[in-house]
Amino acid sequence: MPKNKISKEKSIRHAKTMTEIVISLVLLGAGGFFVRNAMKEASTVQSSPYFDDKDIAVTDVENTSVPDPNQIIYESRSVDTKDKFRGDLILVNEDHEYFGGDEDLVSIIEMNSENERTCFTAVDSTYTILRQVYEPMAQMIQDFSDQYNNDRLIIYGSYRTKEFQQQLYDDDVAQSEDGKSTKVAKAGFSEHESGLAFDFTEADNYDYDGTGDYAWINANCYKYGFIVRYTKSKEKITKIQDEPWHFRYVGIPHAYYMDSNDLCLEEYIDLIRKHPYDGEHLEFKDDKDTEYEVYFVASDDGAEKTTVPVPNGVRYEISGNNVDGFIVTVYKNQKPLVEEAPTKSFEDTSEENTENTTGDEETTDDGSDKTEE
């Protein structure tokens, strides 16, 4: 091959190689240019005017809360609306009539005989009281008797029928100068008709004024669920003059609270009304550190039934207030004593107790008598 031809081919190859090198360098340069501009552009991007450029706290969405094992869970319970007229906390006074008729009554003397109690008695076997009231009443008197060696107490006022209450009222009006009764409540408006109240006298003077040894009873009755219903300091509210012999059962939690805060029943009913279920409940401890929670539920007077929220798995009691609703008492940290049963309806009223009458409030043996509500 001619020498000049070889030189030409080498020149072509050389030129081709150089061209490829130049193209590669151009491509590399262009790539670097675009990368550099992109990085530069990225470093100068401004925040959006629609973005709130503030520190945002990072929230841990994991639920780490621990359920409170002492939290009370409530459920709905349907009760007869008419049952607002029954229960240990019913208010009976000159403005609020008692509606009853199916009281579960027991003879005080017969119960004493069954239980071999001799520390007190009643006028006769016709003197009756509600079954649930007998035992705390008897236990209170027994404790008093054991402490003071005194067995002179007599129950001279207990349950009365409406008819007997009317008789007492009419007799008092007939003896008054102005045709008005100042000693006896009108028929239907006496606590004695509920079976929740009783009166003391004593066998020495046939008088009971809550003094001397008997002062122990008036001072400690709250421990058994009783209150001295009518006191001198509350006469303007109760409209009944001082009766240190008249005791009313309301249950231990309520008797404790009323005694500790110097409240009569009228005041206490008003106080509970200020603590509705959907508001702040009344919470307190008694002198034995037993915890209670009390709240009010208004009755649905336009319906036969009222829904009452009650605690699940915790002891509770429902009582009407005889005015406008129900009072629920929760015994916190206590299990139910028995499975709660619906309150007996007024429609189930029987006539088995309609013949229960008593001769209480008769003139005492020395011819004296007392002011009676």
Side-chain angles (χ1 to χ4, degrees):
M1 180 178 293
K3 207 183 257 192
N4 60 349
K5 187 174 181 178
I6 293 174
S7 298
K8 184 176 180 179
E9 289 179 355
K10 289 175 67 176
S11 297
I12 293 172
R13 285 198 301 271
H14 178 73
K16 184 177 180 181
T17 300
M18 292 300 294
T19 300
E20 290 174 351
I21 291 172
V22 170
I23 292 173
S24 297
L25 291 173
V26 170
L27 291 175
L28 287 172
F33 173 80
F34 286 118
V35 170
R36 181 172 60 83
N37 283 347
M39 293 180 64
K40 181 179 179 182
E41 189 70 19
S43 65
T44 58
V45 173
Q46 301 298 315
S47 299
S48 168
Y50 303 105
F51 178 75
D52 187 7
D53 189 15
K54 297 180 179 179
D55 292 335
I56 301 176
V58 178
T59 303
D60 185 0
V61 297
E62 183 180 357
N63 184 8
T64 59
S65 62
V66 178
D68 182 0
N70 297 318
Q71 182 179 12
I72 297 177
I73 306 301
Y74 292 86
E75 59 187 11
S76 296
R77 176 173 169 180
S78 180
V79 301
D80 289 344
T81 300
K82 289 183 178 180
D83 285 346
K84 72 178 182 179
F85 299 117
R86 54 195 305 124
D88 295 341
L89 291 170
I90 56 173
L91 177 64
V92 181
N93 57 23
E94 72 170 23
D95 298 317
H96 299 97
E97 185 175 1
Y98 172 69
F99 302 95
D102 63 343
E103 294 81 11
D104 182 14
L105 301 167
V106 294
S107 166
I108 295 170
I109 287 181
E110 290 178 5
M111 290 295 289
N112 280 359
S113 177
E114 289 179 16
N115 293 277
E116 299 182 346
R117 284 195 171 102
T118 60
C119 59
F120 74 104
T121 188
V123 173
D124 59 49
S125 60
T126 66
Y127 280 60
T128 58
I129 200 162
L130 284 184
R131 185 179 300 276
Q132 74 264 25
V133 177
Y134 170 80
E135 186 56 37
M137 176 189 71
Q139 189 60 60
M140 177 177 68
I141 301 172
Q142 184 69 63
D143 291 346
F144 164 77
S145 178
D146 291 345
Q147 182 165 338
Y148 293 97
N149 193 29
N150 184 323
D151 59 359
R152 309 294 286 167
L153 282 172
I154 301 172
I155 305 297
Y156 83 93
S158 56
Y159 169 77
R160 304 174 194 158
T161 64
K162 190 172 184 177
E163 292 74 20
F164 185 70
Q165 183 69 26
Q166 184 66 54
Q167 178 186 331
L168 292 174
Y169 179 80
D170 292 341
D171 290 345
D172 190 56
V173 169
Q175 296 174 13
S176 68
E177 296 180 355
D178 58 0
K180 297 180 180 180
S181 174
T182 59
K183 299 179 180 180
V184 182
K186 292 181 179 180
F189 297 86
S190 170
E191 284 193 331
H192 285 287
E193 296 174 62
S194 70
L196 290 163
F198 67 89
D199 296 332
F200 275 139
T201 191
E202 44 85 23
D204 294 324
N205 302 310
Y206 291 95
D207 189 21
Y208 181 97
D209 59 7
T211 62
D213 291 348
Y214 299 115
W216 183 93
I217 296 178
N218 291 52
N220 290 278
C221 64
Y222 74 89
K223 297 177 181 179
Y224 304 85
F226 296 96
I227 58 172
V228 180
R229 180 67 174 93
Y230 307 111
T231 62
K232 187 173 183 60
S233 64
K234 302 296 181 180
E235 286 181 3
K236 291 183 178 179
I237 300 174
T238 64
K239 300 176 184 178
I240 299 292
Q241 69 181 52
D242 186 30
E243 291 189 3
W245 57 82
H246 181 101
F247 293 82
R248 159 67 192 270
Y249 185 77
V250 294
I252 291 176
H254 312 287
Y256 167 80
Y257 193 91
M258 280 186 268
D259 181 83
S260 299
N261 294 276
D262 190 28
L263 300 176
C264 64
L265 186 56
E266 283 83 358
E267 292 173 309
Y268 188 63
I269 295 298
D270 287 342
L271 173 66
I272 297 303
R273 194 178 289 109
K274 297 177 182 177
H275 293 275
Y277 167 73
D278 57 357
E280 182 181 359
H281 296 181
L282 179 64
E283 299 185 58
F284 59 92
K285 292 182 180 180
D286 64 15
D287 50 6
K288 294 183 179 179
D289 285 335
T290 304
E291 298 183 40
Y292 305 101
E293 188 169 324
V294 183
Y295 57 89
F296 172 75
V297 178
S299 56
D300 186 356
D301 295 334
E304 292 185 1
K305 298 286 186 178
T306 293
T307 299
V308 178
V310 296
N312 182 24
V314 180
R315 181 186 171 190
Y316 71 89
E317 296 169 349
I318 302 176
S319 174
N321 66 4
N322 202 41
V323 183
D324 56 359
F326 299 90
I327 296 171
V328 181
T329 306
V330 181
Y331 293 71
K332 300 178 69 173
N333 303 321
Q334 291 189 30
K335 296 296 182 181
L337 298 180
V338 293
E339 184 177 355
E340 299 289 348
T343 305
K344 186 178 179 182
S345 170
F346 278 101
E347 296 176 358
D348 299 329
T349 298
S350 67
E351 297 181 357
E352 60 183 355
N353 292 312
T354 56
E355 296 182 358
N356 281 294
T357 60
T358 110
D360 51 337
E361 283 68 62
E362 296 175 350
T363 302
T364 55
D365 290 358
D366 64 349
S368 62
D369 60 2
K370 297 176 179 178
T371 301
E372 296 299 338
E373 64 84 22

